[in-house]
Amino acid sequence: MTNMKKTLGNILIYFMVAIILIFALFPLWWIANISFKTSEEALVIPPKLIYEPTLKNYKEVLFGVEREDNEGRWVPSTKGFMKQVGNSLVVSLTATFVAMLAGIPAAYALSKFKFKKKQNISFFVLSTRFVPPIVIVIPLFVAFRKLGLMDTKLGLIILYVFANLSLVIWMMKGFFDEMPNELAESARVDGCGQFGALFKIAVPVTLHGIAASAILVMINCWNEFLFAVLFTAKNAKTVTLAVMGYVTVREVAWSNMAAAGILITIPVLIFTIISQKQLVQGLTAGAVKG
């Protein structure tokens, strides 16, 4: 009887997990499905589930294509988005590196040092996560225009660093809180200074936490849209804005947009799968504590 209850409980759990996965993965499957259809098939109602797949949309997104307009003239329809992919890689990787470089020492100081107003500073860092980004857009826009940072990769890097710095600090602070104080104290007894104890002892001990934090920051930077759409125009456009190029006054190229969406998802998916072990270990080792 006990085994039967256990079996039924496991079946119920698997059933619920399957339902959740269906709801979670259905939008991704639907986008992938549209990406292999022609523009005409994508608009058919009811949707066609049996059709001849085509890679035309992916070719158009990657390499660009020219189409004939209503007046018989050939005009560029898409220009590919490899430049936007390059911009996103440069901005995301640089912002992640700078945010980690600045956030790790700050988190270590908040965790291990004793100084006045420590709790107030910690709360101030956390409070920056409370403010919706749209609230600070206008002053940032004015400042960036005067500083000449509009439509530049440097401007986006600065925005992304400050947007994710508090995340790095609070995640890493949780890891450093879990680290015994005796490790850092023994390093200082052996002649290491504060920075020596940080980089020779604390960083290796919390390596999984660093990997988890870096992964989350990287994903945030890659997927960010608000700052990218407001602070870039042409030169520094990121990959998330590439999708907008398929919405015009003449048409919405649903098939091309779906193909671009799938291509945008692939790098993050591969990056997450490769780093899955570090991410899980980091998040389950106390990174969200405190």
Side-chain angles (χ1 to χ4, degrees):
M1 192 67 181
T2 303
N3 291 334
M4 183 178 294
K5 289 183 178 179
K6 185 177 180 180
T7 302
L8 291 175
N10 290 336
I11 293 174
L12 181 61
I13 291 174
Y14 290 141
F15 177 76
M16 295 300 297
V17 170
I19 295 297
I20 293 172
L21 285 175
I22 290 173
F23 276 98
L25 297 178
F26 179 78
L28 184 61
W29 173 83
W30 190 256
I31 294 174
N33 186 45
I34 294 176
S35 70
F36 292 106
K37 293 182 177 181
T38 63
S39 301
E40 294 76 16
E41 290 174 336
L43 297 176
V44 171
I45 298 177
K48 294 176 62 176
L49 298 180
I50 300 177
Y51 58 92
E52 184 178 352
T54 177
L55 295 176
K56 176 183 176 183
N57 302 312
Y58 289 93
K59 293 179 180 178
E60 291 181 356
V61 170
L62 289 172
F63 306 112
V65 68
E66 289 186 345
R67 291 178 179 170
E68 190 174 2
D69 66 5
N70 295 332
E71 299 179 1
R73 296 174 302 180
W74 286 94
V75 295
S77 173
T78 58
K79 298 180 181 179
F81 76 158
M82 297 308 296
K83 181 180 179 181
Q84 285 82 6
V85 171
N87 290 340
S88 286
L89 286 174
V90 171
V91 171
S92 299
L93 292 175
T94 306
T96 301
F97 175 76
V98 175
M100 298 301 298
L101 190 64
I104 290 174
Y108 184 77
L110 290 175
S111 175
K112 299 303 181 183
F113 293 0
K114 295 181 180 179
F115 51 88
K116 294 182 179 180
K117 305 294 183 179
K118 176 179 176 179
Q119 294 299 325
N120 294 339
I121 295 175
S122 299
F123 180 77
F124 171 76
V125 172
L126 180 62
S127 67
T128 60
R129 303 293 297 178
F130 302 161
V131 181
I134 192 67
V135 174
I136 59 175
V137 161
I138 294 178
L140 283 176
F141 187 89
V142 174
F144 271 49
R145 187 172 60 179
K146 290 184 177 180
L147 294 173
L149 293 174
M150 294 295 295
D151 197 21
T152 63
K153 289 190 281 289
L154 177 60
L156 277 185
I157 290 171
I158 293 172
L159 288 171
Y160 289 174
V161 167
F162 283 100
N164 291 281
L165 190 58
S166 58
L167 173 65
V168 175
I169 292 174
W170 270 92
M171 284 194 66
M172 290 308 304
K173 182 179 181 299
F175 284 105
F176 290 137
D177 288 343
E178 292 292 313
M179 188 186 75
N181 294 330
E182 289 77 8
L183 290 177
E185 292 175 357
S186 62
R188 289 195 293 271
V189 169
D190 291 338
C192 290
Q194 295 290 2
F195 280 99
L198 170 62
F199 290 107
K200 293 182 180 180
I201 303 297
V203 168
V205 169
T206 60
L207 198 57
H208 290 306
I210 294 174
S213 302
I215 291 169
L216 293 179
V217 173
M218 175 66 184
I219 293 174
N220 286 343
C221 294
W222 182 269
N223 292 334
E224 202 282 327
F225 179 79
L226 178 64
F227 290 148
V229 74
L230 293 177
F231 290 89
T232 65
K234 180 180 178 181
N235 298 324
K237 287 179 64 175
T238 59
V239 73
T240 53
L241 300 183
V243 179
M244 291 184 61
Y246 303 104
V247 180
T248 67
V249 294
R250 295 176 52 196
E251 64 173 347
V252 178
W254 294 108
S255 298
N256 295 101
M257 187 184 299
I262 294 299
L263 291 173
I264 290 171
T265 305
I266 289 175
V268 178
L269 185 61
I270 294 175
F271 183 68
T272 304
I273 292 174
I274 294 175
S275 308
Q276 182 179 8
K277 182 178 179 180
Q278 288 78 8
L279 179 62
V280 173
Q281 290 179 347
L283 293 178
T284 56
V288 296
K289 182 179 179 181

